[in-house]
Amino acid sequence: MNAVKPANYAKVKAQELQGKLYLAAKENPKRRFHALYDKIYREDILWEAWRRVKSNKGSGGVDGITIEHIEEVYGAERFVAEIREKLISGTYHPLPARRIEIPKPDGKLRPLGIPPIIDRVVQMATKIVIEPIFETDFKNCSYGFRPKRSQHGAIRHIRREIRKGVCWVVDIDIKGYFDNIQHEKLMKLVEQRINDRRILKLLWKWLKAGFVKEDQFYETELGSPQGSVISPLLSNIYLNYLDTIWENKFTEIGAIVRYADDLVILCKTKEQAMKSIDVLKAVFSKLEIQINTSKSKLINLWDDKIGFDFLGMHHRKIPKQVKGIERYILRSYPSKKAMKKMKEKVKEVTEPRNRLFWTMNKMVEELNPKIQGWRNYYGLDSFADLFLNKIDWYIRKRLMLFWNKKRNRRKKHSNSRLAGIVAQYSGLKKLVG
């Protein structure tokens, strides 16, 4: 294989292939693609897949092989060449994912699978090839894990619908969605567009690869492989069944906005909202998934008494004077859960005692990317400034505590004007202003 070509070459060639596949799928919505496997092991596709996996970083899987080991010891050219040979010869077989559990705010644990690097590269190459085909079928209401679509797009969609007179919101939580996807039904939906048996066999192997937790192997009979590269695409294919039925038959009762498994339905009347719940139950029954009744809600947005959380923001109608008339305008600002998470992240940076050896410059350098990220995301609505100001104040408070501890002051929580000045001169960013 020729690895001397610039990295941009593989990227451009991959984009060219994706463009051709997208146009072919768009031209014939009923076309089933049967010759795709050979495109997965194309040199340019595998190199682009490797580039993307490397840029995403992440730790190694059950085989213990890390990206650093491949680059510094094994050699990327040898690694990619061996993957290509295995795909061509048919000797590639995925390994189980390494399962870890991440604590959730409610005290529960969220399972996360970490596939080996080789599986992530092959999955990425497969995703590069098949994603543009399914993109032509995905609906405008879907925003999660799709090219050129984002959480902000979903939120703007909601705001547009609210301006049309929406007063009722059906906020839906799907019970253990990723753990309950039916493999056979998912594969039938995939086969509506792909009949290349080798591609289908690959997908089936990944679904059935299982996982290893505390040195114990577990089979997977249900669900999409969480943490894998291919999982977001597969989950979108599964719920596109809902999006398609809704667009074809039920747009008159409300607008659906979905980001992966988070979705809301926006209706003008309570009757429409109740009917939309019945429709969801019927479609979910077909997909063999369930509404989480303890977390799903029906919200009346008529005034400022109640709102709903979606994608880390709380959405609520707030009174505003417009030309002397009081109107209720939908505003979007950080949810209580999001505010709590931001404070926890700040505390994680500033609290450890071993960081008392850090300079203020180092502390600010660590905090600034987080502050910038929050500002980019939550600054969508100027009303959010009221809440982001509280986080700015909390950051200053934590830096003052860090400063006082660093200087062994008895009153750790006493005000220190100097701490604020030093943080400012160190380039501390703000969420507001």
Side-chain angles (χ1 to χ4, degrees):
M1 294 179 67
N2 184 6
V4 180
K5 292 177 181 176
N8 194 49
Y9 171 82
K11 182 178 180 180
V12 170
K13 297 300 287 183
Q15 288 173 342
E16 286 179 1
L17 174 63
Q18 287 184 307
K20 290 176 182 178
L21 290 169
Y22 179 87
L23 291 175
K26 190 80 172 175
E27 186 178 1
N28 185 356
K30 294 184 178 181
R31 176 176 173 180
R32 297 174 70 205
F33 290 77
H34 65 277
L36 296 173
Y37 186 81
D38 61 323
K39 295 172 178 58
I40 289 173
Y41 59 71
R42 268 178 34 176
E43 291 186 18
D44 48 4
I45 299 301
L46 284 175
W47 276 110
E48 174 60 10
W50 161 249
R51 184 191 68 81
R52 294 187 189 185
V53 168
K54 186 175 70 170
S55 67
N56 290 337
K57 300 179 181 178
S59 55
V62 292
D63 58 359
I65 296 174
T66 63
I67 291 171
E68 292 77 15
H69 176 80
I70 292 167
E71 286 199 290
E72 298 169 11
V73 180
Y74 200 79
E77 185 174 359
R78 177 184 171 191
F79 179 69
V80 174
E82 288 181 359
I83 292 177
R84 185 168 188 265
E85 179 56 37
K86 286 181 179 180
L87 289 170
I88 293 172
S89 63
T91 56
Y92 163 76
H93 298 288
L95 294 169
R98 178 167 64 89
R99 173 69 63 90
I100 61 172
E101 292 180 329
I102 301 171
K104 294 169 68 175
D106 58 6
K108 295 181 180 179
L109 297 173
R110 181 170 68 89
L112 179 68
I114 304 175
I117 307 296
I118 181 174
D119 293 337
R120 291 185 344 229
V121 172
V122 179
Q123 287 183 17
M124 183 66 80
T126 304
K127 180 175 179 283
I128 288 170
V129 172
I130 70 173
E131 184 177 55
I133 296 169
F134 289 101
E135 268 297 313
T136 63
D137 299 331
F138 291 161
K139 307 305 176 185
N140 288 331
C141 65
S142 168
Y143 289 88
F145 307 110
R146 293 182 58 192
K148 299 179 182 179
R149 288 184 159 247
S150 66
Q151 292 162 308
H152 278 180
I155 292 167
R156 290 190 184 99
H157 192 152
I158 289 172
R159 292 161 75 94
R160 288 196 302 270
E161 294 298 330
I162 298 294
R163 286 196 292 269
K164 295 177 184 177
V166 163
C167 291
W168 292 86
V169 177
V170 182
D171 182 10
I172 295 294
D173 183 86
I174 302 176
K175 191 174 183 178
Y177 172 64
F178 290 97
D179 293 329
N180 289 292
I181 292 176
Q182 297 287 328
H183 293 171
E184 291 79 7
K185 292 188 175 183
L186 171 61
M187 292 305 296
K188 284 182 180 178
L189 292 170
V190 172
E191 287 171 20
Q192 290 179 0
R193 274 303 207 169
I194 294 174
N195 64 356
D196 186 322
R197 306 316 300 175
R198 291 176 296 179
I199 294 280
L200 297 174
K201 188 177 179 181
L202 267 183
L203 296 175
W204 188 257
K205 282 182 177 179
W206 289 326
L207 291 172
K208 297 297 185 183
F211 62 90
V212 173
K213 179 183 173 185
E214 296 176 350
D215 296 325
Q216 178 69 40
F217 173 75
Y218 297 87
E219 293 183 350
T220 45
E221 298 301 325
L222 286 172
S224 177
Q226 291 191 50
S228 72
V229 172
I230 203 71
S231 182
L233 175 60
L234 296 180
S235 66
N236 269 334
I237 291 170
Y238 203 64
L239 278 182
N240 188 57
Y241 178 79
L242 165 66
D243 300 341
T244 303
I245 288 177
W246 196 274
E247 184 177 282
N248 292 341
K249 296 183 178 180
F250 300 107
T251 52
E252 77 281 355
I253 66 172
I256 187 170
V257 179
R258 183 173 68 80
Y259 191 94
D261 61 325
D262 292 328
L263 65 97
V264 291
I265 299 174
L266 310 158
C267 307
K268 293 184 178 180
T269 67
K270 186 176 182 179
E271 290 73 22
Q272 289 175 336
M274 297 305 293
K275 185 178 178 181
S276 70
I277 294 172
D278 292 335
V279 172
L280 279 180
K281 287 180 178 178
V283 176
F284 283 4
S285 177
K286 289 273 188 182
L287 293 172
E288 296 187 55
I289 54 178
Q290 296 179 348
I291 295 175
N292 187 340
T293 53
S294 64
K295 292 185 178 180
S296 301
K297 299 174 184 175
L298 176 62
I299 298 112
N300 183 357
L301 277 183
W302 182 257
D303 52 27
D304 63 345
K305 289 184 174 59
I306 191 170
F308 65 98
D309 291 350
F310 188 66
L311 300 180
M313 293 196 195
H314 186 72
H315 309 273
R316 183 184 295 231
K317 283 190 173 181
I318 305 293
K320 182 180 180 181
Q321 292 291 326
V322 180
K323 296 181 180 180
I325 302 173
E326 186 177 75
R327 297 181 184 275
Y328 284 88
I329 309 295
L330 187 77
R331 310 310 298 257
S332 304
Y333 50 91
S335 65
K336 289 181 180 179
K337 186 177 177 181
M339 293 281 285
K340 184 180 177 182
K341 277 187 177 180
M342 282 188 268
K343 289 181 179 179
E344 287 173 352
K345 290 289 184 183
V346 172
K347 196 171 183 180
E348 283 175 12
V349 173
T350 57
E351 186 175 50
R353 292 196 61 82
N354 61 353
R355 294 192 176 179
L356 293 177
F357 296 101
W358 283 16
T359 64
M360 183 65 83
N361 276 342
K362 174 67 174 172
M363 187 64 73
V364 168
E365 184 182 331
E366 186 77 9
L367 284 171
N368 272 347
K370 294 176 175 57
I371 295 170
Q372 185 64 52
W374 294 330
R375 186 164 71 183
N376 291 345
Y377 186 71
Y378 293 105
L380 184 68
D381 187 332
S382 59
F383 189 80
D385 289 355
L386 295 172
F387 300 85
L388 297 179
N389 258 324
K390 295 179 181 179
I391 303 299
D392 274 335
W393 177 86
Y394 182 77
I395 292 169
R396 290 194 295 272
K397 176 185 171 184
R398 291 299 312 180
L399 288 177
M400 182 182 68
L401 184 60
F402 159 75
W403 184 263
N404 288 340
K405 283 182 178 179
K406 191 175 176 67
R407 277 151 184 74
N408 291 316
R409 292 185 175 175
R410 287 186 180 180
K411 294 182 179 180
K412 306 298 182 185
H413 293 273
S414 63
N415 189 28
S416 173
R417 186 167 174 268
L418 182 59
I421 293 171
V422 173
Q424 184 178 347
Y425 275 100
S426 296
L428 180 68
K429 293 185 178 182
K430 287 186 175 182
L431 284 161
V432 179

